[in-house]
């Protein structure tokens, strides 16, 4: 893929060249700009933040939970999210 330079119009009279940056630099710029959101804030907005529905309530009522091979993974992720 070839990078194509472009310009940003900062004013009506002077277009300015845009600095070329890598995807990693763009991601780092966004990560430092974006503010982390607490899980409490997300819960207030979205409700449960459980990664799968069967972990979204106090008791797991899924009839397949005893046979579910992925449940320990999702339960561990849920624990990390809630720390």
């Amino acid at each position: 893929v070839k990078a194509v330079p472009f310009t940003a119009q900062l004013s009506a009279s002077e277009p300015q060249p845009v600095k070329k940056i890598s995807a990693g630099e763009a991601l780092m710029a966004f990560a430092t700009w974006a503010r982390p959101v607490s899980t409490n804030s997300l819960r207030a907005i979205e409700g449960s933040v459980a990664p799968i529905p069967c972990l979204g309530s106090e008791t797991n009522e899924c009839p397949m939970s005893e046979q579910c091979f992925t449940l320990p993974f999702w339960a561990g992720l849920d624990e990390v999210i809630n720390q």
Side-chain angles (χ1 to χ4, degrees):
V1 176
K2 183 178 178 181
V4 178
F6 61 96
T7 59
Q9 192 73 29
L10 299 176
S11 68
S13 60
E14 298 180 38
Q16 301 292 317
V18 175
K19 178 184 173 193
K20 292 181 185 179
I21 61 173
S22 69
E25 289 172 314
L27 183 58
M28 287 303 296
F30 178 75
T32 56
W33 170 79
R35 293 183 182 154
V37 177
S38 73
T39 52
N40 290 335
S41 298
L42 283 176
R43 249 187 229 99
I45 297 167
E46 298 289 334
S48 173
V49 292
I52 55 175
C54 62
L55 295 175
S57 62
E58 290 294 320
T59 59
N60 184 345
E61 297 178 15
C62 177
M64 301 298 289
S65 65
E66 294 294 322
Q67 303 163 2
C68 184
F69 292 109
T70 62
L71 186 59
F73 169 80
W74 294 117
L77 179 60
D78 189 45
E79 184 178 323
V80 170
I81 290 171
N82 289 309
Q83 286 181 351

